[in-house]
Amino acid sequence: MISLALVRHAKSDWSTVKRPDGRLVADHDRPLNDRGGRDAPRMAQRLADAGFRADVVLSSTALRARTTAEAFADALGAPLSLEDELYGASSKTLWAVASAAGHPRVLVVAHDPGMSALAAHLSRDRIEHMPTCAVATFTWDTDDWDVADSLEPVDWTYDTPR
């Protein structure tokens, strides 16, 4: 069985885009805002309580994704791996990085529009959009990542912060 969890990073802080000295903060360096800081550990614990297990958590290197991923890695007791190619990744790249990880249970934390596009593809368009800190899980009855993408998942879930 292969399991994949997709997590869009938690809500980021746009107020820090401009520093007090007038310099702009790079998009890559935007932190979570207060809501994001609350949502990430709550959603991570809900996923753990639902029984999802990950062999690895893969994350974009952007600060907001990294911080979100740390909460999920802690709640799931899984190692965290930062992946440069997940920053701004397309749905195809997200899938490729997850499948190349070499584990049957993978959690990916990244950004839109790639996350929503991959969730829509895997759910056969039943998930239209992944808001911040949304979690979608998919399970396939195969051990081959190359085959899983062409199969309909045997199980999938979708959860958003409330």
Side-chain angles (χ1 to χ4, degrees), residues 33-90:
N33 67 11
D34 290 342
R35 187 178 103 197
R38 288 188 308 269
D39 285 349
R42 281 192 341 210
M43 292 299 289
Q45 192 57 56
R46 283 184 8 202
L47 184 61
D49 291 347
F52 187 87
R53 299 295 170 252
D55 298 311
V56 66
V57 174
L58 306 176
S59 176
S60 158
T61 55
L63 179 58
R64 60 194 181 276
R66 249 186 1 245
T67 307
T68 302
E70 288 166 356
F72 280 84
D74 287 348
L76 298 172
L80 173 60
S81 178
L82 300 178
E83 306 291 333
D84 289 328
E85 57 269 71
L86 292 178
Y87 180 64
S90 68

Side-chain angles (χ1 to χ4, degrees), residues 118-132:
L118 182 55
H121 169 71
L122 297 175
S123 70
R124 306 308 190 245
D125 294 321
R126 291 173 286 208
I127 298 172
E128 295 177 8
H129 175 67
M130 295 272 292
T132 54

Side-chain angles (χ1 to χ4, degrees), residues 125-159:
D125 294 321
R126 291 173 286 208
I127 298 172
E128 295 177 8
H129 175 67
M130 295 272 292
T132 54
C133 216
V135 177
T137 66
F138 303 90
T139 303
W140 294 268
D141 194 15
T142 181
D143 293 327
D144 187 342
W145 281 93
D146 291 333
V147 171
D149 187 35
S150 63
L151 298 176
E152 184 143 352
V154 294
D155 186 38
W156 68 277
T157 65
Y158 178 63
D159 193 12

